[in-house]
Amino acid sequence: MRVAATDVLPALRGQATAGGALADFIWFRTGGPAEWLVRPADVADLAAFVGALDPAVPVFPIGVGSNLIVRDGGVAGVTVRLPKSFAKVTIEPGNRVRAGAAAMGISVASAARDAGIAGLEFLRGIPGTVGGACRMNAGAYGRDVSDVLVSYTAVTRDGAVVEAPAAALGYSYRHSALSEGAVVVEALFEGVPGDPATIGAEMDRIAAEREASQPLRSRTGGSTFKNPPGDKAWALIDRAGCRGLMRGAAQVSEKHCNFLLNLGGASSADIEALGDEVRARVLAETGVTLEWEIQRVGETA
């Protein structure tokens, strides 16, 4: 459902922008605008706003768009992007780190390192926000968010502020049971005691490995497909002869073929169609149906 006019939007102390650009910060730098791009002032502001919003209007939370294809027709309803005021990271007793949902994974890992908390180093390798990482059970280098998350706080679609244990998310591989339209606003992680120098060395190793193996300086969306049980998506894509495959200005990365690239001027339709072609070729070659890891949202142009 699209919002009919400005006067149907509830009061907001933050900002609400009609036709807010998403391609300005989505990693692929493609896609249409948000019908309404909302930046709440704080948790209370967000809860009051979505609670008063017509229940038929969809609410979609977005972070930095590091694992997202926004289709060229844009996103209907309200897209919520948490501002920097939601990015605070603090240390708590018991080797715990509390992080606002707008904080980046590297910020959480760095704060843990400085406090001598080990076990969160892998968050250095996750290029998105805490909110997105909690929603999709993000993982890297053998660990997932589900391994370290204690609890989370979210604003649900009806405007309730809910704090719940991590188990309530029903985590599986790159998936959670977080309800539709719910916005994660905070997360509590727990590690174990560690030596800051050792923790820092592991974070540096992760950063160097990512730099060497992934197209980090390109317009991309991170890992495109989930790894099938007992296999690697990139290996199946390579086996199907898709390394370097192109559709318009979209390309399968030659450096890491589970990454799609916008070489400049690609549309979201080009990128998604290239992904579908890769899936078809992998299925024909290997009999394996790759599942999208990148979230695809919005309407076609």
Side-chain angles (χ1 to χ4, degrees), residues 232-257:
K232 296 290 187 182
W234 75 264
L236 296 172
I237 295 167
D238 205 16
R239 178 176 159 189
C242 296
R243 187 181 294 269
L245 183 68
M246 295 186 67
R247 173 72 68 97
Q251 183 186 42
V252 176
S253 171
E254 294 183 350
K255 188 173 187 179
H256 189 313
C257 49

Side-chain angles (χ1 to χ4, degrees), residues 10-232:
L12 184 76
R13 286 183 283 110
Q15 298 178 341
T17 304
L22 301 177
D24 287 349
F25 61 89
I26 294 297
W27 276 31
F28 274 122
R29 294 296 190 269
T30 63
E35 185 178 5
W36 283 97
L37 182 59
V38 167
R39 297 177 176 86
D42 50 36
V43 173
D45 192 29
L46 174 62
F49 176 81
V50 298
L53 188 67
D54 184 336
V57 175
V59 172
F60 176 67
I62 195 169
V64 293
S66 58
N67 197 242
L68 192 66
I69 294 173
V70 174
R71 294 185 174 117
D72 300 306
V75 181
V78 168
T79 298
V80 174
R81 190 177 194 211
L82 302 179
K84 290 182 179 179
S85 58
F86 285 79
K88 185 178 180 181
V89 179
T90 57
I91 303 300
E92 297 191 358
N95 299 301
R96 291 182 168 187
V97 183
R98 187 174 297 275
M104 298 294 291
I106 186 174
S107 299
V108 178
S110 298
R113 175 201 61 208
D114 295 346
I117 299 173
L120 306 184
E121 296 91 339
F122 75 99
L123 294 174
R124 170 66 178 84
I126 295 175
T129 61
V130 163
C134 288
R135 173 175 284 274
M136 70 170 291
N137 192 20
Y141 303 96
R143 305 210 77 194
D144 298 328
V145 164
S146 59
D147 296 327
V148 295
L149 185 67
V150 176
S151 64
Y152 70 97
T153 304
V155 175
T156 58
R157 181 59 186 84
D158 60 0
V161 180
V162 177
E163 183 176 0
L169 289 170
Y171 275 139
S172 57
Y173 176 59
R174 303 296 176 264
H175 177 77
S176 77
L178 191 68
S179 60
E180 188 76 19
V183 182
V184 175
V185 293
E186 190 177 77
L188 180 64
F189 301 101
E190 183 175 308
V192 296
D195 173 59
T198 303
I199 296 167
E202 174 62 7
M203 288 174 59
D204 290 344
R205 183 195 69 79
I206 288 172
E209 187 172 324
R210 289 186 70 233
E211 181 72 35
S213 64
Q214 300 176 11
L216 301 181
R217 305 184 189 283
S218 304
R219 296 180 179 183
T220 184
S223 295
T224 306
F225 303 107
K226 299 177 182 179
N227 288 324
D231 216 329
K232 296 290 187 182

